[in-house]
């Protein structure tokens, strides 16, 4: 055995299984038992909580400081990469062993940097450029001239079925692991509204078809019910935000196994601190309604059996005490404190559910899974905020972090 984690109280991604030892070889979990076996590296987790590594399934690794996303258009990518690489360190130190980037041009390079061992960080599943219609959420500002927007925004523009096929192939060619689309307006885009549908059924179907040809899927940003419904009917697999969803759409999501990422963190951040951190004026005006409405959506989703996953939607560092990059466990906290989920449901969302949704062989302490495991000095089933007390991080079978430092 390469690694043994012994005597800890284990949550396996679905529930608490109590005191068992976990053995790892060649990056995989190979045995879970009460037996005491020798391993090259042994971690004594007595009085500690052991669980799968955390997953943030909706982040934007922009490398931007402050709350104006417009800056992403005008700041040099080389500089943003440097900042984002620091974010990746913070995330891994905090126990995040996987993040899914839901749209950011530099994320593909960051992903390669991590997988080649050039920089420390969680495994990255990346969308690269998201797909947006003209006058869509992916433009951020609708006042800058269109040519500027097309050249500088983080999105790939498409209008019409042919154009959507072309855009899909382009982003997949760039190396995207999945395709991210904008199916409604949003909060941080200037002149559209969260309830406005964007892209048609035919356009989204064409994008889904291109993704499925290479065994991947489409993630859709959707606030309003109408646009969300069109996206679900067209075959998307993960629905992002979903703040204004109605019952019928939630039931359809359950039927079609579409997951929900409520992204409570970004809403809390903009609501509480938006002005302070410089969020563009239009964002401040639109936040209240979606932040109020999403609480009920989370409760209904849980009731109907829609799979809920964790994603902060953080796309900039804030310098704030409460919500910032590296404190992405805040989503699990908010799912309990605002969404009314049990602590176990919330932990399941950030591990087993998220791994299932984004298609990685992790998120569970089961034989055969990738050994992404964290050791916590506390008990998040008692107090979800104990997720902030991660002491050790095992990523891909390797003990990577000990007491807040990289090994
Ligand atoms: Zn997002």
């Amino acid at each position: 055995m390469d690694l043994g984690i012994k005597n800890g109280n284990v949550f396996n991604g679905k529930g608490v299984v109590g005191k068992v030892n976990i053995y790892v070889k060649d990056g995989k979990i190979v045995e879970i038992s009460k037996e005491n076996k020798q391993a090259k590296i042994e971690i004594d987790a007595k009085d500690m909580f052991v669980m799968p590594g955390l997953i943030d399934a909706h982040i934007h690794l922009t490398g931007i400081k402050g709350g104006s996303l417009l800056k992403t258009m005008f700041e040099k990518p080389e500089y943003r990469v440097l900042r984002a690489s620091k974010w990746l360190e913070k995330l891994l130190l905090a126990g995040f062993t996987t993040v899914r980037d839901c749209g950011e041009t530099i994320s593909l390079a960051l992903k390669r940097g991590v997988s080649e061992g050039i920089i420390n960080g969680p495994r990255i599943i990346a969308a690269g450029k998201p797909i947006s219609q003209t006058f869509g959420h992916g433009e951020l500002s609708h006042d800058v001239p269109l040519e500027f927007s097309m050249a500088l925004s983080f999105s790939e523009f498409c209008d019409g079925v042919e154009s959507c096929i072309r855009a899909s192939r382009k982003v997949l060619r760039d190396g995207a692991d999945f395709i991210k689309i904008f199916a409604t307006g949003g909060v941080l885009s200037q002149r559209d509204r969260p309830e406005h549908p964007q892209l048609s059924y035919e356009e989204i179907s064409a994008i889904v078809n291109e993704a499925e040809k290479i065994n991947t899927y489409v993630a859709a940003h959707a606030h309003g019910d109408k646009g969300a419904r069109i996206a679900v009917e067209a075959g998307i697999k993960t629905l992002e935000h979903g703040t204004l969803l109605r019952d019928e759409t939630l039931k359809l999501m359950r039927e079609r196994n579409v997951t929900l990422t409520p992204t409570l963190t970004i809403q809390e951040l903009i609501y509480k601190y938006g002005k302070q951190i410089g969020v563009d004026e239009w964002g401040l005006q639109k936040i209240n309604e979606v932040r109020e409405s999403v609480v009920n959506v989370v409760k209904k989703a849980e009731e109907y059996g829609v799979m809920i996953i964790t994603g902060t939607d953080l796309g900039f560092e804030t310098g704030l005490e409460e919500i910032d990059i590296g404190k992405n466990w805040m989503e699990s906290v908010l799912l309990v404190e605002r969404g009314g989920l049990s602590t176990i449901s919330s932990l399941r969302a950030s591990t087993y559910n998220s791994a299932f949704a984004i298609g990685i062989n992790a998120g569970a302490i089961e034989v055969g899974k990738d050994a992404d495991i964290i050791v916590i000095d506390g008990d998040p089933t008692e107090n979800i905020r104990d997720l902030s007390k991660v002491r050790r991080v095992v990523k891909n079978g390797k003990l990577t972090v000990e007491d807040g430092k990289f090994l």
Side-chain angles (χ1 to χ4, degrees):
M1 302 292 178
D2 297 331
L3 180 78
I5 304 170
K6 298 180 175 178
N7 307 313
N9 182 26
V10 175
F11 169 79
N12 69 1
K14 294 178 189 164
V16 175
V17 291
K19 270 201 179 177
V20 284
N21 300 328
I22 303 160
Y23 297 100
V24 174
K25 196 171 163 44
D26 298 330
K28 303 267 187 231
I29 298 169
V30 291
E31 187 176 329
I32 301 158
S33 70
K34 300 220 182 235
E35 277 183 55
N36 191 8
K37 297 192 170 180
Q38 287 269 311
K40 280 181 211 150
I41 295 173
E42 303 208 342
I43 298 171
D44 184 9
K46 188 171 180 293
D47 300 326
M48 300 273 201
F49 191 84
V50 178
M51 63 179 281
L54 296 165
I55 299 169
D56 188 335
H58 188 135
I59 192 169
H60 299 272
L61 298 167
T62 62
I64 290 287
K65 198 171 187 173
S68 172
L69 281 182
L70 258 184
K71 278 196 199 162
T72 58
M73 294 172 82
F74 301 106
E75 240 184 359
K76 292 265 191 209
E78 295 88 337
Y79 182 54
R80 296 199 284 113
V81 166
L82 292 174
R83 256 214 220 97
S85 64
K86 286 287 158 200
W87 293 8
L88 293 171
E89 288 182 0
K90 282 187 184 173
L91 286 161
L92 189 54
L93 289 170
F96 285 82
T97 48
T98 304
V99 297
R100 181 179 65 160
D101 186 286
C102 275
E104 169 51 49
T105 48
I106 65 173
S107 63
L108 296 168
L110 292 166
K111 173 192 162 150
R112 193 164 158 188
V114 170
S115 66
E116 291 179 5
I118 302 168
I119 49 174
N120 270 320
R123 174 194 294 115
I124 300 172
I125 308 293
K129 277 192 173 187
I131 291 179
S132 175
Q133 67 168 53
T134 302
F135 188 32
H137 179 62
E139 281 200 65
L140 303 175
S141 165
H142 302 116
D143 276 354
V144 301
L146 182 58
E147 311 79 70
F148 265 50
S149 192
M150 291 178 88
L152 295 175
S153 106
F154 70 136
S155 306
E156 190 67 43
F157 285 48
C158 66
D159 300 285
V161 169
E162 294 286 315
S163 167
C164 285
I165 292 173
R166 170 107 183 115
S168 304
R169 291 176 184 171
K170 245 171 120 177
V171 300
L172 292 171
R173 182 185 182 279
D174 282 345
D177 294 305
F178 64 102
I179 299 179
K180 167 74 183 295
I181 66 166
F182 299 114
T184 71
V187 175
L188 294 179
S189 43
Q190 188 175 15
R191 271 194 280 116
D192 55 18
R193 294 202 46 87
E195 61 272 23
H196 294 165
Q198 294 183 354
L199 295 173
S200 67
Y201 173 82
E202 289 74 19
E203 287 171 318
I204 300 174
S205 297
I207 297 167
V208 167
N209 188 41
E210 292 305 314
E212 289 183 349
K213 278 184 198 168
I214 61 159
N215 298 321
T216 188
Y217 64 92
V218 175
H221 155 112
H223 286 277
D225 188 69
K226 194 171 175 196
R229 181 68 175 254
I230 291 169
V232 171
E233 284 175 348
I236 62 109
K237 277 295 164 205
T238 75
L239 194 134
E240 312 301 312
H241 318 302
T243 55
L244 305 169
L245 293 178
R246 299 217 180 117
D247 289 17
E248 290 313 306
T249 306
L250 282 166
K251 286 177 188 166
L252 189 67
M253 286 170 67
R254 171 72 191 85
E255 241 175 79
R256 303 208 174 174
N257 293 322
V258 175
T259 61
L260 174 69
T261 324
T263 63
L264 303 177
T265 307
I266 191 72
Q267 294 152 28
E268 208 61 11
L269 175 65
I270 298 171
Y271 174 76
K272 280 192 181 163
Y273 304 105
K275 207 175 172 70
Q276 187 181 335
I277 62 171
V279 166
D280 303 307
E281 189 57 40
W282 53 80
L284 302 175
Q285 286 167 5
K286 289 188 274 186
I287 193 62
N288 288 0
E289 189 193 351
V290 298
R291 179 183 171 274
E292 274 306 306
S293 165
V294 74
V295 170
N296 197 36
V297 170
V298 171
K299 287 176 182 157
K300 282 276 169 64
E302 179 77 346
E303 185 188 324
Y304 295 151
V306 174
M307 190 183 263
I308 295 171
I309 72 174
T310 44
T312 57
D313 201 11
L314 285 178
F316 30 75
E317 62 180 80
T318 66
L320 295 166
E321 183 62 32
E322 191 185 1
I323 303 173
D324 204 354
I325 301 284
K327 294 174 178 173
N328 300 46
W329 37 261
M330 187 50 82
E331 186 68 17
S332 308
V333 169
L334 291 168
L335 281 173
V336 172
E337 294 181 358
R338 290 200 75 229
L341 259 55
S342 69
T343 54
I344 293 285
S345 287
S346 175
L347 293 176
R348 198 181 297 143
S350 63
T351 55
Y352 182 85
N353 290 2
S354 287
F356 174 84
I358 70 178
I360 57 169
N361 185 38
I365 294 179
E366 282 171 13
V367 171
K369 293 283 180 190
D370 294 343
D372 290 350
I373 303 167
I374 58 177
V375 180
I376 294 172
D377 185 11
D379 184 350
T381 65
E382 292 285 324
N383 180 0
I384 193 71
R385 288 179 179 263
D386 279 358
L387 283 176
S388 65
K389 300 173 181 169
V390 170
R391 294 292 174 262
R392 287 187 174 79
V393 180
V394 173
K395 185 192 154 199
N396 263 326
K398 198 168 161 270
L399 178 59
T400 309
V401 173
E402 205 164 40
D403 296 323
K405 290 197 184 77
F406 287 111
L407 293 173

